[in-house]
Amino acid sequence: MKYKRLTDSAHAPTKAHTFDAGWDLYSDEHIAIMPGTRQAVKTGIAIDIPQGFVGLVWPRSGLAASWSLQVMGGVIDSGYHGEIQVLLYNAGLYTYTAPPLTRCAQLIVQPIQMLQMHEVDDFGYESARGQQGFGSSGK
């Protein structure tokens, strides 16, 4: 994949191990997120996601476990060539602070199916679940 730095201080995405699924994304600014709030964290990079693929921004497990940091949103379409930003939400009890160049999320790139939507009056069959919603598969 191709990427470009949008600032001189931006850090290239990296993988800790060759076969890791996710590319680590680095902050290009200071992070300070109070409990119950969110911050859009700039990475200073743009990525050329190939057609037929999507980039999904996920939390880093260590930050989620230690600080209860979650990623909100996080779908990067192949046609988007702007700056990647990570929307972090602090679900924890303490303010999270970190300097620039902190690994703040991970990017997973995976293939997608290019499908079309067609409106119908009936699906033509009934599934076992039907229209049962939340909690319908058990507790």
Side-chain angles (χ1 to χ4, degrees), residues 4 14 20-21 28 39 42-43 49 51 54 57 62 64 72 82 87-89 102 107 113 119 122-123 128 130:
K4 66 178 178 179
T14 63
D20 286 353
D28 195 37
Q39 179 181 343
K42 295 180 179 187
T43 64
I49 305 289
Q51 289 184 356
V54 65
V57 181
M72 300 177 71
L87 187 56
L88 288 177
Y89 174 74
T102 296
L107 176 70
Q113 294 290 319
E119 183 177 1
D122 190 293
F123 291 127

Side-chain angles (χ1 to χ4, degrees), residues 7-89:
T7 67
D8 291 337
S9 57
H11 193 292
T14 63
K15 286 188 175 190
H17 305 282
T18 302
F19 297 107
D20 286 353
W23 293 86
D24 287 329
L25 298 176
Y26 294 78
S27 64
D28 195 37
E29 62 183 342
H30 179 79
I31 302 172
I33 312 171
M34 294 181 3
T37 66
R38 64 186 182 272
Q39 179 181 343
V41 177
K42 295 180 179 187
T43 64
I45 61 165
I47 298 176
D48 185 22
I49 305 289
Q51 289 184 356
F53 290 80
V54 65
L56 302 174
V57 181
W58 283 83
R60 294 193 64 248
S61 58
L63 290 178
S66 299
W67 291 95
S68 298
L69 287 184
Q70 296 297 316
V71 170
M72 300 177 71
V75 173
I76 304 169
D77 293 309
S78 63
Y80 177 68
H81 286 156
E83 181 176 16
I84 303 299
Q85 293 190 40
V86 177
L87 187 56
L88 288 177
Y89 174 74

